[in-house]
Amino acid sequence: MADTQPSPAYLCGQLYATLHTLQAIGKRDRRLGNDSFLSRAKRHPGSLLRDQLKNAGEHLLAARTRGPKHGKAAVEVFRAITDFVPPSGRFPDYLDTSSQLDFLSGYHTQSAAYAAHDTLMK
């Protein structure tokens, strides 16, 4: 049985959750998880993800300054970023309704995985 690749929308949702988690570890900022940001991200993920990727290094550094526990968690999350970049290396600029559901599924699945690791979210 062949493995199937997740859709680009699903991967974008996972990446968004990863970037949100990294931001939360580094700055205790969960803004990316609020309804307004999430609603915009699921419709137009491209520009938002590109902007957040530019900030990922800053969030990693901020987490490391919070202490070893935060630094270790941030490194783990930071390393996962590449797992969620679509094979084309491009993020869709617009998602239709069906793809938005894939995005949300990826986001919630990945968020739940990080939440299961309590140390990542504190």
Side-chain angles (χ1 to χ4, degrees), residues 2-19:
D3 289 7
T4 58
Q5 275 292 77
S7 72
Y10 188 88
L11 289 170
C12 286
Q14 289 181 294
L15 178 58
Y16 188 81
T18 299
L19 294 168

Side-chain angles (χ1 to χ4, degrees), residues 2-81:
D3 289 7
T4 58
Q5 275 292 77
S7 72
Y10 188 88
L11 289 170
C12 286
Q14 289 181 294
L15 178 58
Y16 188 81
T18 299
L19 294 168
H20 168 243
T21 300
L22 184 61
Q23 182 184 51
I25 295 168
K27 295 185 176 181
R28 298 181 196 177
D29 184 350
R30 300 182 189 278
R31 188 171 22 130
L32 289 179
N34 79 29
D35 290 340
S36 174
F37 276 88
L38 188 56
S39 179
R40 192 175 102 209
K42 75 177 182 181
R43 288 186 317 248
H44 302 284
S47 62
L48 198 134
L49 288 172
R50 286 187 293 274
D51 288 345
Q52 289 304 315
L53 280 170
K54 290 176 188 175
N55 297 327
E58 290 179 25
H59 299 314
L60 174 63
L61 292 174
R64 292 186 66 114
T65 62
R66 288 185 67 194
K69 182 174 98 174
H70 292 91
K72 182 178 179 185
V75 166
E76 183 179 331
V77 173
F78 187 84
R79 286 183 176 153
I81 289 172

